[in-house]
Amino acid sequence: MISFAYAEINGLAMESLSHFVVIFFVITSLYYLFETKHIVLPIILLFFGIFSNGNGLLLVPLGIVGLIITKDYKKLTLWTVFSIVAIIIFFIDYEKGNTPFDASIFKRLAYVFPIYMGGIGGLESIKINQILGVLGILFSIYFLIFKKSYQSHITLSALLLFFLGTYLLISSKRQYTDSIALLRGAYLINSVCIFVVFYILFYKIHLKTWIKSKNYKLSNWVFLSILFLTLIYQARNYTKWIQIFGYQKRSIQSVLVMITGNTKQLYLDEGTIHNIPLNMRPGLDTLIKKGIFDNSDVLKTLLVKPMDINHKDILGDFDNKIDIISIDGTQIPDNPYITINAKINGYLKNPSNGLGLICLQNGEKTYYELPLKNDKLFHVKPIKGRDFYFEYMIPKRFLKSNSFEMSFLMFQNRKIYQSNGTQKINWNNQYNTNLTFSKFLNLNIMEPALDTLQKPQFFEAFYNGEKHEIVVHLDTAQNGNINYLQFSDTESLNTFQIELTHLKERAEKNLASVIFSQKEAKSFLKKRNGLFKLSLISKKGEEKFKTYPLKSLYYFKFN
C-alpha cells in the first residue's frame, strides 16, 4: 500500500480513494465471511465495498458462490438478502454509460487485459506488461483449475477472482488502446494485489511439503530472491516517484503561467480569467488568493520576441512534421495575443535542438525563437525522440498587420532549418463595431437533459475593462438551435444564462458569441467574486434543453 509505484495517483484524490479503499473493504469482508463465524460485520463491509467503487459489486457473486462451496446456507441466505438490498439501493437513479457491447469488445479484452494485469512491472512498456500479464493468467489457471485452490483456500481464491473480475470490467469499459492510458498507475494496485495472492497461495500450497522434507535451503533462497526483487522494484519506482513530484510541481507552475500569461496585461484593475481548463483546478484558488497575477517574471517567459537571423543561414528543410492543434486569439480582435498549440513529431533528438518561428507579412520575414526549454512552461520536459506538444503566445503588437503567414524553424547543432508548409493566420475580418451587450437571463432550467456526446468547444474569451466577450464553437446541429451560455456557480447551485448570437461572418465556422458589460455582471451577481463553470444550453424547437458541459471556468472579480 505504501509502494512508490503509486506516485502517479498521489495527486488524484478520487482515484486513489476509490481504488485503494474498495480493496480494504473487499479483503476484510471476504475474510470475515469465510474465515470467521461473523455475518453482520461482513455484510456491513459489503455495503462499504459496493459504495466505495463499482467493482465492489463483485463481492455479491463471490460471496454467494463461496458460501455454496462451503455449504454455509444460513450465511448464504442472509448474504443474498442483503446483497439484493445493496444492489437495489446502488441502481436507484443510476445513470448508464455509453460503452458499446459488440464483437469488438472481445478483441479489445484480448489485447488490454494482459497489459492491465501485468502492470506490476511499472516499467512503462506494453510488451513487458503483456508478458507479465500472460504469466499472471497462467498462474491463475494453475491455482484455480489445476490446484483447485477454492477447495482449501476459499478466501484467497475469491480475492483472486475479484481482482481478475476488476480487470475484466476495466478492460471492457475503458476504451483505450494507446500506451499512455494503458500504462497509467491508477489501476496498478490491482496488479500488485494479484501477484501478492499468487505469492501467498504458492506458500500455502507448497510450504508444508517443504517443511516435511526439511528443504529449508530451497525456501530460504526463494524468500531471499523475492526480497531482492522487491528492493529493485522499489528502487525503480522511487525514481518514478521523484519524477511524478517534479511533474506536479511543474503542473502548478503551468497554472501560474496560464493565469499570468493570459491575464496580467488584460486585467490590470479588475477582470476575468478566461478559459481556465478544469484539469488545471488543483491549486487555482490558492493562486488567486495569493495574488499571483502580478508575476511578471513568468509573463516574460511567454512572450515570443523577434531575433536577428539572416535568411542565408537557413540550410534547408527539416523532416519533423509539425501539426497545428489550435490557433486562438483570432476571433476577438481586441485580444492582444495569438495563442498557438502545436505538436512536433520526434522532437529533440539531441538536447541542443530548438524551435523558432517565421512570420511573413507583406513580403517581409520576422524571426522568433520559442522558449520551449523553460521548466516553468511545461508539465513534462521534452524527451529525446518523443512527440512534443507545445503552446506559445505571440503579442499582436509584435506583428505589423492583421494577418501573417507562419512557418517553423529548427535549430540543430548550431544549424538552422525551415519547415516546408506555411499557415495563414487572419484576425481582421471578424470585427464588428455594432455588437450589442447581451442580457443575463434565468431560464429556471432545473433538470436539463444531460447530453455529453456532442461537446462544443470553448473557443476564446476576452475582457478589456468595459465588456466581456466569449466565443463558442458549435457543431452543425447546435448551430441551428436556440443556444444559451450557462454560468454555474461552483460554490452553490445558482445559475444564469446569456443567449448566444450567431454572427454572419462566423456562420461558416459555426461560431457564436456573447458580449456583456462588467457593470451588468456586477449588478446581476451582486458582487459575488468567484469561479463559474461554463455549459452550453441548447434546444431545437419544442424539445427539452440539453446541457453540453464546457471544460472551462470563468472567474469574476469585482472591487
Side-chain angles (χ1 to χ4, degrees):
M1 294 293 283
I2 60 172
S3 173
F4 292 121
Y6 310 126
E8 184 185 350
I9 61 172
N10 116 60
L12 302 172
M14 187 192 76
E15 291 193 358
S16 60
L17 284 173
S18 61
H19 288 298
F20 277 61
V21 172
V22 69
I23 292 174
F24 169 77
F25 290 126
V26 167
I27 292 174
T28 50
S29 180
L30 292 176
Y31 171 79
Y32 283 108
L33 183 65
F34 296 127
E35 304 291 334
T36 71
K37 294 181 180 180
H38 292 285
I39 184 57
V40 176
L41 184 56
I43 287 174
I44 292 172
L45 293 166
L46 164 71
F47 275 80
F48 279 118
I50 289 176
F51 292 98
S52 295
N53 206 34
N55 61 333
L57 287 167
L58 291 170
L59 275 171
V60 173
L62 290 174
I64 291 172
V65 174
L67 292 171
I68 291 173
I69 292 173
T70 57
K71 298 180 180 180
D72 193 336
Y73 300 114
K74 182 179 178 180
K75 275 188 176 183
L76 175 63
T77 303
L78 292 170
W79 181 265
T80 303
V81 170
F82 283 98
S83 293
I84 293 171
V85 172
I87 290 172
I88 291 172
I89 296 172
F90 184 88
F91 284 102
I92 289 176
D93 198 27
Y94 179 76
E95 186 179 321
K96 186 180 179 182
N98 297 309
T99 304
F101 188 82
D102 51 37
S104 65
I105 196 171
F106 298 104
K107 183 179 179 181
R108 188 168 70 251
L109 281 173
Y111 174 68
V112 302
F113 181 80
I115 296 172
Y116 282 130
M117 191 167 177
I120 186 175
L123 299 174
E124 300 176 359
S125 167
I126 280 184
K127 288 185 178 178
I128 293 176
N129 276 30
Q130 283 177 325
I131 293 170
L132 291 171
V134 170
L135 184 64
I137 292 171
L138 293 176
F139 278 142
S140 301
I141 293 171
Y142 172 76
F143 289 118
L144 292 171
I145 297 176
F146 289 99
K147 288 296 181 179
K148 297 182 179 179
S149 58
Y150 55 85
Q151 293 180 347
S152 54
H153 306 291
I154 187 67
T155 306
L156 288 170
S157 300
L159 272 178
L160 179 55
L161 287 170
F162 168 78
F163 295 118
L164 293 174
T166 295
Y167 275 140
L168 279 175
L169 291 172
I170 292 171
S171 302
S172 62
K173 295 290 288 183
R174 301 287 184 263
Q175 300 179 52
Y176 306 131
T177 55
D178 64 296
S179 59
I180 295 175
L182 293 176
L183 299 178
R184 288 181 61 223
Y187 308 122
L188 180 65
I189 180 67
N190 298 288
S191 179
V192 173
C193 287
I194 285 175
F195 280 84
V196 169
V197 171
F198 291 153
Y199 171 76
I200 298 173
L201 277 172
F202 183 80
Y203 280 102
K204 285 277 190 179
I205 293 171
H206 294 285
L207 192 59
K208 288 181 180 179
T209 307
W210 288 356
I211 291 174
K212 287 181 181 178
S213 62
K214 297 184 179 180
N215 197 348
Y216 302 116
K217 186 178 291 186
L218 177 61
S219 59
N220 287 343
W221 274 112
V222 173
F223 274 118
L224 288 173
S225 300
I226 290 175
L227 178 61
F228 178 71
L229 290 172
T230 302
L231 292 174
I232 294 176
Y233 179 74
Q234 291 287 27
R236 163 65 183 83
N237 283 295
Y238 174 75
T239 60
K240 188 175 180 181
W241 184 62
I242 294 299
Q243 290 171 0
I244 295 297
F245 272 116
Y247 167 86
Q248 291 179 342
K249 181 179 179 182
R250 289 191 294 275
S251 177
I252 294 298
Q253 287 174 332
S254 71
V255 175
L256 183 149
V257 168
M258 179 271 301
I259 294 174
T260 56
N262 288 6
T263 64
K264 182 176 181 293
Q265 291 187 353
L266 311 185
Y267 319 124
L268 295 176
D269 299 319
E270 61 179 27
T272 305
I273 303 169
H274 66 268
N275 196 19
I276 302 176
L278 289 178
N279 59 7
M280 293 295 193
R281 187 70 174 84
L284 185 57
D285 290 337
T286 304
L287 293 172
I288 291 171
K289 290 175 183 177
K290 289 185 177 180
I292 304 296
F293 304 111
D294 295 325
N295 192 322
S296 56
D297 292 337
V298 178
L299 180 63
K300 291 177 182 177
T301 66
L302 279 169
L303 299 182
V304 184
K305 296 184 178 180
M307 61 183 300
D308 293 326
I309 290 181
N310 191 324
H311 73 276
K312 295 180 180 179
D313 295 332
I314 300 175
L315 301 179
D317 299 331
F318 62 83
D319 298 329
N320 304 71
K321 181 183 177 184
I322 294 182
D323 297 319
I324 304 295
I325 298 170
S326 66
I327 300 174
D328 301 320
T330 63
Q331 303 303 317
I332 302 176
D334 291 339
N335 190 338
Y337 292 110
I338 295 290
T339 303
I340 299 173
N341 192 340
K343 178 187 79 169
I344 181 168
N345 299 324
Y347 179 60
L348 280 188
K349 292 184 178 176
N350 76 61
S352 65
N353 288 359
L355 277 178
L357 192 70
I358 304 175
C359 293
L360 176 62
Q361 299 173 298
N362 302 323
E364 183 180 344
K365 291 183 178 180
T366 308
Y367 301 93
Y368 302 89
E369 183 173 9
L370 304 181
L372 300 183
K373 296 180 182 179
N374 192 311
D375 286 348
K376 294 179 180 179
L377 295 180
F378 303 101
H379 288 197
V380 183
K381 293 180 180 179
I383 301 175
K384 181 178 178 180
R386 296 273 186 93
D387 293 348
F388 178 52
Y389 294 84
F390 59 96
E391 184 178 69
Y392 55 94
M393 294 163 51
I394 307 175
K396 290 178 182 176
R397 59 189 173 84
F398 288 166
L399 304 170
K400 298 179 180 179
S401 68
N402 292 324
S403 66
F404 66 96
E405 290 187 15
M406 176 184 69
S407 56
F408 290 92
L409 292 172
M410 176 177 280
F411 306 102
Q412 190 175 54
N413 298 324
R414 298 183 180 180
K415 296 178 181 179
I416 305 174
Y417 301 91
Q418 182 177 345
S419 63
N420 285 317
T422 61
Q423 174 80 39
K424 188 170 183 179
I425 299 175
N426 188 320
W427 68 92
N428 184 41
N429 58 3
Q430 289 83 14
Y431 190 70
N432 188 336
T433 57
N434 298 320
L435 293 176
T436 57
F437 288 149
S438 300
K439 298 297 181 183
F440 291 109
L441 305 170
N442 192 339
L443 299 177
N444 294 320
I445 304 171
M446 301 302 294
E447 295 182 1
L450 185 63
D451 188 341
T452 59
L453 296 179
Q454 297 171 300
K455 289 187 179 180
Q457 294 181 4
F458 185 103
F459 208 81
E460 187 181 345
F462 177 70
Y463 171 72
N464 66 358
E466 297 178 1
K467 66 178 181 181
H468 302 261
E469 184 171 358
I470 300 174
V471 181
V472 178
H473 183 258
L474 310 173
D475 67 14
T476 304
Q478 294 162 347
N479 196 39
N481 293 353
I482 299 172
N483 299 300
Y484 296 90
L485 190 65
Q486 176 169 281
F487 295 75
S488 304
D489 190 346
T490 58
E491 302 299 327
S492 66
L493 299 177
N494 296 325
T495 65
F496 62 91
Q497 299 82 23
I498 302 178
E499 186 170 359
L500 284 160
T501 303
H502 303 270
L503 301 177
K504 293 180 181 179
E505 58 269 23
R506 296 173 178 171
E508 294 181 359
K509 298 180 180 179
N510 292 343
L511 296 178
S513 70
V514 293
I515 297 179
F516 55 95
S517 68
Q518 177 77 346
K519 182 179 179 181
E520 188 179 11
K522 186 175 183 180
S523 173
F524 190 89
L525 299 174
K526 299 179 176 61
K527 298 184 179 182
R528 280 187 297 130
N529 296 330
L531 291 162
F532 287 77
K533 296 179 182 179
L534 291 180
S535 302
L536 176 71
I537 306 297
S538 181
K539 77 169 184 174
K540 181 178 181 180
E542 299 301 320
E543 295 179 354
K544 289 184 178 181
F545 279 103
K546 291 185 178 180
T547 302
Y548 303 85
L550 299 170
K551 289 186 177 180
S552 294
L553 299 174
Y554 210 74
Y555 180 71
F556 288 101
K557 180 181 179 182
F558 307 107
N559 289 337

